[in-house]
């Protein structure tokens, strides 16, 4: 039911035409959409009931994140679903709880700021009047939460594609202006981003939390970004399969050719494998199973590999049409590549494999 409801809502309120115009959409329209999203209860899915949340699990959050990716949602939903609601689990009161309440009630949303070594910030979901939130780990059980001032002027509606707020790794630099904000055409035109050379920190809070909290935050962010990536890749695959059934050459559909239909079938299996791994990892996370951390490592590995291949093949199936601006396939390609870069900022494929191998070795030693 949640999957169907999310699909219907986003198909109606965020069609491809809205995704295409994300960089020029006025701030009031974006906030109005966030209010409607808050009415659906999505920002409150993971928040504790004591803070006005729904206290559901990662399985439900996965469904919503995947739908957001499928419909190229141009708001930073995943970051707002994860950061403040997760912190509320261990912080009973204070600014964190107040900010979370405002987000869940649809009064505001935060852009996702990734702090870079040079002190600049890469902001995903940037917009005029939208404050940004940055979270950093200072040590075991010590987190620093920063609320950055909203951007003014152009509002960061153009920028460079980069990484998630959990990684702190840079994207490609643009052209610096007098305001300290870097502006250029982003890789993913459906998500406004910006780079701020000198962030204006309105409020900074150092938090003492359980030592596992940082790992829990990163795991949730990784799983839900993987879900978003799979949603976009699945939409591209569906689009390619539909085109292969309709496009005819030599008096038959091109999908009848093995070179095309076998490739599409392989892509479907790869995405399904990644989705099954993701749902299993979400269930392990919700159950706080001993293998939860290791289970989550498989997901970005499978999602990035299968998702990239699916969107690239979707372009090829469309032939010359696939490389035109009018074809929506390039929007899915760019969304997947941006999310893949975000996931790789945390760890490369080689590092994920090493962590899986080390985890398996530790489990065998313990047995």
């Amino acid at each position: 039911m949640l999957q169907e409801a999310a699909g219907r809502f986003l198909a109606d309120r965020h069609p491809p035409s809205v995704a295409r115009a994300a960089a020029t959409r006025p701030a009031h329209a974006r906030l109005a959409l966030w209010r409607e999203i808050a009415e659906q209860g999505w920002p409150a899915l993971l928040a504790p009931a004591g803070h006005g949340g729904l206290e559901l699990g990662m399985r439900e959050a996965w469904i919503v994140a995947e739908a957001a990716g499928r419909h190229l949602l141009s708001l930073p939903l995943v970051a707002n679903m994860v950061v403040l609601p997760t912190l509320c689990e261990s912080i009973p009161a204070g600014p964190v709880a107040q900010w979370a309440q405002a987000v869940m009630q649809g009064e505001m949303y935060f852009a996702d700021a990734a702090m870079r070594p040079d002190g600049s910030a890469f902001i995903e979901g940037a917009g005029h009047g939208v404050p940004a939130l940055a979270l950093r780990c200072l040590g075991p059980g010590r987190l620093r939460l920063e609320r950055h001032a909203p951007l003014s002027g152009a509002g960061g509606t153009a920028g460079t594609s980069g990484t998630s707020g959990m990684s702190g790794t840079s994207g490609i630099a643009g052209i610096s202006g007098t305001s300290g904000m870097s502006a250029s055409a982003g890789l993913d035109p459906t998500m406004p981003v910006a780079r701020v050379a000198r962030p204006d920190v309105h409020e900074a809070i150092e938090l003492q939390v359980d030592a596992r909290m940082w790992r829990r935050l990163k795991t949730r962010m990784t799983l839900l970004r993987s879900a978003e990536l799979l949603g976009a890749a699945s939409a591209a695959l569906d689009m390619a399969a539909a085109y292969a059934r309709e496009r005819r050459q030599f008096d038959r559909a091109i999908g009848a050719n093995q070179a095309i239909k076998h490739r599409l079938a392989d892509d479907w299996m790869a995405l399904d494998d990644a989705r099954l791994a993701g749902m299993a990892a979400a269930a392990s996370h919700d159950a706080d199973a001993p293998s939860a951390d290791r289970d989550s490592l498989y997901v970005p590995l499978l999602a990035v590999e299968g998702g990239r291949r699916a969107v690239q093949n979707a372009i090829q199936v469309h032939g010359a049409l696939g490389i035109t601006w009018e074809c929506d396939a390039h929007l899915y390609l760019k969304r997947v590549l941006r999310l893949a870069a975000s996931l790789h900022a945390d760890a490369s494929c080689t590092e994920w494999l090493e962590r899986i191998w080390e985890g398996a070795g530790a489990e065998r030693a313990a047995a």
Side-chain angles (χ1 to χ4, degrees), residues 269-322:
M269 292 179 65
L271 296 182
D272 192 53
D273 285 345
R275 184 176 294 107
L276 291 173
M279 295 297 285
S284 295
H285 181 86
D286 291 340
D288 200 19
S291 62
D293 289 339
R294 187 165 66 89
D295 290 345
S296 67
L297 296 176
Y298 293 96
V299 183
L301 189 66
L302 295 172
V304 168
E305 181 181 353
R308 275 179 169 174
R309 189 172 68 225
V311 291
Q312 289 166 352
N313 286 340
I315 298 290
Q316 296 299 318
V317 168
H318 281 82
L321 177 64

Side-chain angles (χ1 to χ4, degrees), residues 73 223 288:
L73 183 63
L223 288 177
D288 200 19

Side-chain angles (χ1 to χ4, degrees), residues 134-196:
L135 181 65
R136 287 185 283 177
C137 182
L138 303 179
R142 293 179 58 234
L143 303 179
R144 179 180 172 87
L145 188 65
E146 295 178 351
R147 176 172 176 158
H148 295 179
L151 298 178
S152 59
T157 54
T160 57
S161 179
T163 61
S164 76
M166 306 297 291
S167 63
T169 307
S170 68
I172 305 170
I175 304 171
S176 295
T178 57
S179 66
M181 182 180 72
S182 175
S184 68
L187 170 64
D188 179 5
T190 68
M191 178 61 74
V193 296
R195 178 186 168 193
V196 180

Side-chain angles (χ1 to χ4, degrees), residues 19-358:
R20 279 180 172 272
T24 57
R25 202 167 189 221
H28 67 83
R30 295 169 63 80
L31 183 57
L33 178 60
W34 183 260
R35 291 195 188 100
E36 294 185 68
I37 287 175
E39 289 173 1
Q40 301 296 312
W42 298 347
L45 280 175
L46 297 175
H51 288 273
L54 301 180
E55 204 167 340
L56 296 176
M58 285 293 292
R59 288 173 62 87
E60 291 79 10
W62 175 282
I63 290 170
V64 171
E66 187 173 355
R70 174 174 283 274
H71 294 275
L72 299 173
L73 183 63
S74 54
L75 293 170
L77 176 61
V78 166
N80 282 270
M81 287 174 67
V82 170
V83 178
L84 293 176
T86 303
L87 289 175
C88 282
E89 294 178 4
S90 59
I91 301 171
V96 173
Q98 295 169 8
W99 298 345
Q101 281 290 329
V103 168
M104 291 188 291
Q105 292 171 5
E107 298 172 6
M108 61 177 295
Y109 65 90
F110 285 100
D112 184 28
M115 300 307 298
R116 303 172 64 176
D118 62 359
S120 65
F122 176 82
I123 302 176
E124 179 187 89
H128 176 69
V130 180
L133 204 64
L135 181 65
R136 287 185 283 177
C137 182
L138 303 179
R142 293 179 58 234
L143 303 179
R144 179 180 172 87
L145 188 65
E146 295 178 351
R147 176 172 176 158
H148 295 179
L151 298 178
S152 59
T157 54
T160 57
S161 179
T163 61
S164 76
M166 306 297 291
S167 63
T169 307
S170 68
I172 305 170
I175 304 171
S176 295
T178 57
S179 66
M181 182 180 72
S182 175
S184 68
L187 170 64
D188 179 5
T190 68
M191 178 61 74
V193 296
R195 178 186 168 193
V196 180
R198 297 174 298 278
D200 181 5
V201 180
H202 269 193
E203 191 169 358
I205 309 170
E206 289 199 11
L207 308 170
Q208 293 292 331
V209 298
D210 184 274
R212 297 180 55 197
M213 180 59 70
W214 176 248
R215 188 166 67 249
R216 186 172 180 82
L217 277 163
K218 292 193 70 175
T219 297
R220 286 183 169 183
M221 186 68 82
T222 297
L223 288 177
L224 295 188
R225 284 195 177 273
S226 298
E228 188 180 353
L229 186 153
L230 288 173
S234 296
L237 175 61
D238 291 345
M239 185 178 177
Y243 185 77
R245 289 191 293 268
E246 296 171 0
R247 180 74 168 96
R248 301 183 68 84
Q249 287 185 343
F250 305 109
D251 203 29
R252 68 172 186 172
I254 62 173
N257 299 315
Q258 290 186 357
I260 292 179
K261 67 180 179 181
H262 286 186
R263 182 176 295 180
L264 293 174
D266 288 343
D267 290 341
W268 183 90
M269 292 179 65
L271 296 182
D272 192 53
D273 285 345
R275 184 176 294 107
L276 291 173
M279 295 297 285
S284 295
H285 181 86
D286 291 340
D288 200 19
S291 62
D293 289 339
R294 187 165 66 89
D295 290 345
S296 67
L297 296 176
Y298 293 96
V299 183
L301 189 66
L302 295 172
V304 168
E305 181 181 353
R308 275 179 169 174
R309 189 172 68 225
V311 291
Q312 289 166 352
N313 286 340
I315 298 290
Q316 296 299 318
V317 168
H318 281 82
L321 177 64
I323 58 173
T324 63
W325 292 119
E326 292 78 13
C327 182
D328 289 337
H330 78 93
L331 298 178
Y332 297 112
L333 171 69
K334 292 169 182 176
R335 174 61 65 100
V336 166
L337 292 180
R338 179 178 63 80
L339 290 170
S342 171
L343 290 167
H344 273 161
D346 181 57
S348 66
C349 289
T350 302
E351 290 171 323
W352 281 325
L353 288 170
E354 288 178 352
R355 292 179 190 178
I356 292 169
W357 180 261
E358 290 169 358

